[in-house]
Amino acid sequence: MFPDDINSTEYLEALQNALDGPIVRHEIMSTPEYMKVYSAVKHYQDYACVEPPAMTTMCCNRRLYNWLISYMTKNIRDIKDKALVLSGPALLDFYITQWEYFQTTHMLIGRLFFSVDQQWIERQCKQDPNYTCISSTLIQLWYFYLFRRLTTHVMSNVISLVDAERSGRAIDSTLITRLYKAYVELKPEGIAKCNAEFRERLGAYICYYENPYINAAVSYIDTKTHSLRTPEHMREYIQVLSELFIQEDERSERYLRSNSLAPMRNKLNERFLRSEIGCIYQMADLMFATGNDNNGLCTIYALLSRFDNSNVLQQFLDKFVAQAKKTITQNCPEIQASTDGGKAVFAKAAVIYLSDTLNAHLDMIATLFCNNSSFTKELRHVFAAAVNTDEMHSRLGVTPARLAAEFCNIVLKNSKTRSDDLGSDLTQTAELMLHKAMDVLHASHDKGLFFKFYQLHLTRRLLDNTSMSLDLEKTAIAMIY
């Protein structure tokens, strides 16, 4: 029962005893109990509004407001004191549980003291900025008296748990996930704002969770790679760094919000890749030149692909196509070095070499570089530029267009009459050989010359009845056009 005299100490003591159940002991308040407390607060407010003079009303409301703030402050401080003696999973579970209780308390207090908010505090806030609505005040109390004094302790335990997971021990990952969600839900007044609009509503999460988590990840990777950041250990550094990045990316997807992944990636890139980018490019040059470390090239590509800046990956692409052009030009068969087998044997060797070299690099792009369309486009451009140079014409003795036309004629002629030209390649399908010729033709800048010689050879095959088959002739024409 509440005393009749609302100005008595007993009245506020009765109100405190009624609130201790749901707020301190976390008991579920029944509807009759709720209505009893609500009626007591409403009665207090009604008395303050009708009792003259106006100063009495203001004093009564301030007294109730101050009592509520003092009551909640004491409860929050008690929670903080209990949390400080805990550690590990017990601490995280305690904080999360208390935050969930507080949210229920926050809602309950808001409903019980709704009339105070509406009838007095809103007017008082306009006159005195030190007063805020009860809802905002409770959040501020939690933030200043518990959260800010406890968050360093909480985050050190979060990072300890993550480190335990890194070392192979099993942890309850749901505790960390629930904790960062609790940080997101806490949105006190005056917390530092973010420049990015989509991150403005993340509350205390960015400053007090995201930043410490990312800094701890940087510190961990730095410890693992510090001794390897030298030119002589660069190959091992790249491999170890890639493995650590993969592990941390997977871990971040569990323990960070999705819009924290980009800041995490950018921080790791700047700390461990940007400063070593020159050495990484040199290592890529060496791998391209030797051609015996595809796994290393794949690793470098994956690391450089983490940058949002396309110029970083473009430099890697430039090195790839430069090496491809060098391979195409320098290793292509020369007409002067051909055997006594004649021009047909040379044409076959040259076309097959050019086509196989192109397709080997395309396979490299598909296998090592995630079938990057920019790499494919640039490779085809470089291949076309290489086969149309004067140097290539000198090596081949003819233009690529003429070479492709002669090779098509070899493939399409009756095998019995030209078996000496095709040699052991008779075991391959004619269509496969035609595809090789098309690789050279499509790279040629003088397709008109190809058509001229192709039509001439086609006419002779048809008139002399030396074509392998009309169906194959139709297939070849479909490939060309």
Side-chain angles (χ1 to χ4, degrees), residues 157-363:
N157 281 270
V158 169
I159 292 167
S160 296
L161 284 179
V162 175
D163 285 340
E165 185 184 70
R166 290 184 177 117
S167 64
R169 284 178 282 171
I171 66 169
D172 184 358
S173 60
T174 60
L175 284 176
I176 302 177
T177 303
R178 290 170 61 203
L179 179 76
Y180 86 64
K181 291 180 178 178
Y183 274 49
V184 172
E185 292 167 353
L186 179 59
K187 300 178 176 64
E189 296 289 336
I191 196 168
K193 300 294 183 182
C194 297
N195 294 328
E197 181 179 352
F198 66 93
R199 286 161 59 81
E200 284 183 352
R201 299 182 179 180
L202 295 184
Y205 167 82
I206 294 177
C207 182
Y208 295 101
Y209 182 94
E210 179 189 287
N211 290 344
Y213 182 95
I214 293 177
N215 291 336
V218 170
S219 178
Y220 167 75
I221 295 176
D222 187 60
T223 301
K224 293 291 185 179
T225 61
H226 180 72
S227 61
L228 303 176
R229 299 180 72 176
T230 59
E232 58 269 22
H233 295 101
M234 188 51 55
R235 188 186 298 268
E236 186 180 357
Y237 174 78
I238 291 171
Q239 186 61 42
V240 172
L241 188 65
S242 175
E243 294 172 358
L244 290 172
F245 276 5
I246 291 172
Q247 295 169 8
E248 289 306 311
D249 286 346
E250 293 175 351
R251 192 170 289 111
S252 297
E253 291 181 358
R254 297 196 302 272
Y255 300 147
L256 291 175
R257 285 178 61 89
S258 59
N259 51 14
S260 296
L261 300 182
M264 172 76 164
R265 183 178 65 251
N266 293 338
K267 187 69 175 286
L268 295 181
N269 290 350
E270 292 300 318
R271 179 67 178 83
F272 300 104
L273 289 179
R274 182 75 69 181
S275 59
E276 307 296 335
I277 199 72
C279 293
I280 293 175
Y281 284 144
Q282 291 178 7
M283 185 58 62
D285 277 333
L286 179 62
M287 291 176 180
F288 280 131
T290 58
N292 60 0
D293 194 351
N294 286 344
N295 289 335
L297 289 172
C298 183
T299 299
I300 291 177
Y301 173 82
L303 290 175
L304 298 181
S305 297
R306 295 171 59 88
F307 285 96
D308 295 329
N309 184 355
S310 60
N311 291 333
V312 174
L313 196 58
Q314 181 63 41
Q315 294 184 52
F316 181 75
L317 169 58
D318 292 343
K319 296 178 182 298
F320 167 69
V321 296
Q323 185 61 41
K325 183 176 181 179
K326 183 178 179 181
T327 302
I328 293 166
T329 304
Q330 292 186 354
N331 298 336
C332 183
E334 293 187 66
I335 186 67
Q336 293 86 353
S338 62
T339 63
D340 296 333
K343 291 184 178 180
V345 172
F346 172 73
K348 178 198 70 173
V351 169
I352 290 176
Y353 169 78
L354 291 173
S355 175
D356 287 351
T357 302
L358 171 64
N359 285 291
H361 284 84
L362 289 173
D363 289 343

Side-chain angles (χ1 to χ4, degrees), residues 451-461:
F451 294 135
K452 175 182 175 181
F453 282 96
Y454 185 86
Q455 290 171 1
L456 178 63
H457 291 315
L458 173 61
T459 301
R460 288 178 179 174
R461 289 195 301 272

